[in-house]
Amino acid sequence: MPRTLRSLLAALLLSTALAGGGGPASSPGAPNSGGPSRSAPTLNGPTLKGSAPPGLRVGAAVSAALFEDPAYAALVAREFSSVTPENAMKWQATEANEGTFVYGLADAIVTWATRHGIAVRGHTLIWHDSAPGWLYQIRDAARMRQVMGAHIRALMTHYPQVTTWDVVNEAVSDAPGHPLRANSPFAVAGPDYIAHAFREAHAANPQARLYYNDYSADGINGKSDAIYALLRDLLAQGVPIHGVGFQAHLDETYDVTASRVTENLRRFRALGLDVHLTEVDVTLRGPPTPDALKRQARVYHDLLTACRAAGCSNFTLWGVTDLSSWRAAAYPLPFDDDGRPKPAHAALIAALRGPP
Ligand code: G3I
């Protein structure tokens, strides 16, 4: 399709989306029971996966609903070319007790995705928030390094078909100056515990692409500056880091341009890193009125446009439908409680089809 026609179509899609033509919003106060959707909307028209240019995967974090709700599963299969197990691969879920590994739900997700030709982002190997209690009892550096290596090797050798991993998640603090967070159990392993994790991951699967992942660092700010310095220095030491994930948990007031998101992502690309937006959601500050949905659609559009302008290779939503979201009460995703597309869906399609 000629470029100009693509651009015109994209602009038309965006204006339609921003005019609220992206389908019904969630009914205000819709019960966020987390259960199966009440009806399976029959959807046709452009999909996120089908609209994405070569080299860019569009993904979603998925949960057990993949196997409990046929409408949810159909939506994932239709719209996405990448999935991230929202919780099933975390340390608390897979090694709640030392040396005893449980893979049930994660196996089912990886099997389902493989069968549907959908890539899997492994999430996440080293994260303080999903560390079981026994990890916090370790006080010896050598033992912590050994335990980290054993966990990383277990997960990555169990899933050789998963070739993209969030190896370390949220290690940089939000405190002034943004040092490494002090409340991580892994700090016991020494100041180079991040390098250790990536080296263990690379040894476990030399083919895998290894990511550092964090939040509130999507634009140019003190935290993204600290992450930039951290990754630049680790790369200079030869640490095998291949990419950086920016979670992008945003709200409807976020200004992508004023936050200088494109400039931020580009500087990490200039380090030679792949860049993924890994956990995107855009919460509403109030009910899902047409104007609020338009504001949400604009943020989604501008964020994906910035992602493409910087050469991102993955744009993943943190959930599938509003009902399945960790922030369900704030209507954060492009599909409402029943899996119907909201204006944000058409806005994302426009961003995918527009000029990079
Ligand atoms: O599975 C147990 C269930 O057996 C138990 O009855 C129930 C009540 O205690 O808890 C269930 O586990 C919950 C789990 O989600 C699965 O639903 C945990 O308590 C709950 O803390 C966990 O929350 C997840 C959170 O990470 C912490 O792991 C959210 O769903 C998930 O969306 C959120 O995602 C994180 C990313 O991994 C990293 N970036 C930030 C993002 C948001 O916090």
Side-chain angles (χ1 to χ4, degrees):
M1 177 185 295
R3 197 179 185 79
T4 47
L5 183 56
R6 266 175 76 95
S7 300
L8 280 174
L9 183 60
L12 178 63
L13 269 171
L14 176 59
S15 58
T16 305
L18 297 182
S26 311
S27 45
N32 293 316
S33 66
S37 58
R38 289 181 290 282
S39 61
T42 51
L43 285 171
N44 46 39
T47 66
L48 298 173
K49 171 164 66 176
S51 304
L56 176 59
R57 289 187 185 276
V58 183
V62 293
S63 63
L66 207 54
F67 310 103
E68 297 159 355
D69 179 359
Y72 176 105
L75 179 53
V76 176
R78 185 181 65 246
E79 295 284 340
F80 300 109
S81 53
S82 174
V83 292
T84 303
E86 184 172 6
N87 293 299
M89 286 186 176
K90 291 173 180 174
W91 200 314
Q92 180 62 38
T94 55
E95 194 186 3
N97 300 294
E98 183 175 1
T100 303
F101 291 92
V102 176
Y103 296 116
L105 177 56
D107 280 353
I109 291 172
V110 172
T111 301
W112 184 93
T114 304
R115 188 177 301 134
H116 286 80
I118 295 173
V120 179
R121 294 191 86 263
H123 174 84
T124 175
L125 295 168
I126 300 297
W127 183 33
H128 66 282
D129 190 289
S130 71
W134 64 270
L135 273 179
Y136 283 88
Q137 308 309 314
I138 296 174
R139 292 284 180 271
D140 175 73
R143 169 152 163 69
M144 179 57 87
R145 295 169 81 90
Q146 183 275 323
V147 162
M148 289 170 65
H151 184 79
I152 290 167
R153 282 191 300 278
L155 270 285
M156 294 185 71
T157 52
H158 186 78
Y159 296 113
Q161 68 275 63
V162 177
T163 54
T164 300
W165 284 91
D166 289 335
V167 175
V168 175
N169 190 51
E170 304 175 15
V172 172
S173 85
D174 296 320
H178 301 288
L180 295 187
R181 61 175 57 243
N183 66 335
S184 170
F186 305 108
V188 166
D192 70 335
Y193 84 86
I194 295 173
H196 175 66
F198 278 95
R199 290 189 173 111
E200 288 283 358
H202 186 62
N205 181 353
Q207 309 310 314
R209 306 289 289 171
L210 309 177
Y211 282 70
Y212 174 80
N213 190 50
D214 216 327
Y215 64 89
S216 298
D218 317 299
I220 300 278
N221 59 38
K223 188 167 183 180
S224 62
D225 287 345
I227 293 168
Y228 179 85
L230 172 69
L231 299 187
R232 179 199 59 207
D233 295 349
L234 289 171
L235 288 166
Q237 297 163 32
V239 177
I241 300 175
H242 307 109
V244 55
F246 296 97
Q247 295 179 12
H249 292 297
L250 308 176
D251 74 26
E252 63 174 277
T253 66
Y254 190 80
D255 186 326
V256 171
T257 304
S259 301
R260 299 158 61 193
V261 173
T262 302
E263 181 184 342
N264 184 47
L265 304 187
R266 280 178 171 160
R267 66 173 169 170
F268 286 88
R269 291 281 292 132
L271 287 177
L273 294 170
D274 294 340
V275 171
H276 286 181
L277 294 189
T278 53
E279 307 184 12
V280 183
D281 46 30
V282 179
T283 54
L284 303 187
R285 293 207 159 176
T289 63
D291 282 348
L293 292 170
K294 265 191 268 185
R295 290 191 294 270
Q296 180 183 57
R298 167 60 70 185
V299 175
Y300 270 111
H301 173 271
D302 293 354
L303 188 69
L304 182 45
T305 300
C307 172
R308 289 193 59 204
C312 275
S313 50
N314 192 305
F315 183 94
T316 286
L317 301 168
W318 203 243
V320 180
T321 64
D322 284 339
L323 195 59
S324 68
S325 167
W326 72 299
R327 302 165 105 179
Y331 311 94
L333 292 168
F335 296 95
D336 71 14
D337 288 353
D338 290 321
R340 291 182 172 79
K342 296 152 64 178
H345 181 261
L348 288 171
I349 299 278
L352 288 167
R353 290 178 165 181

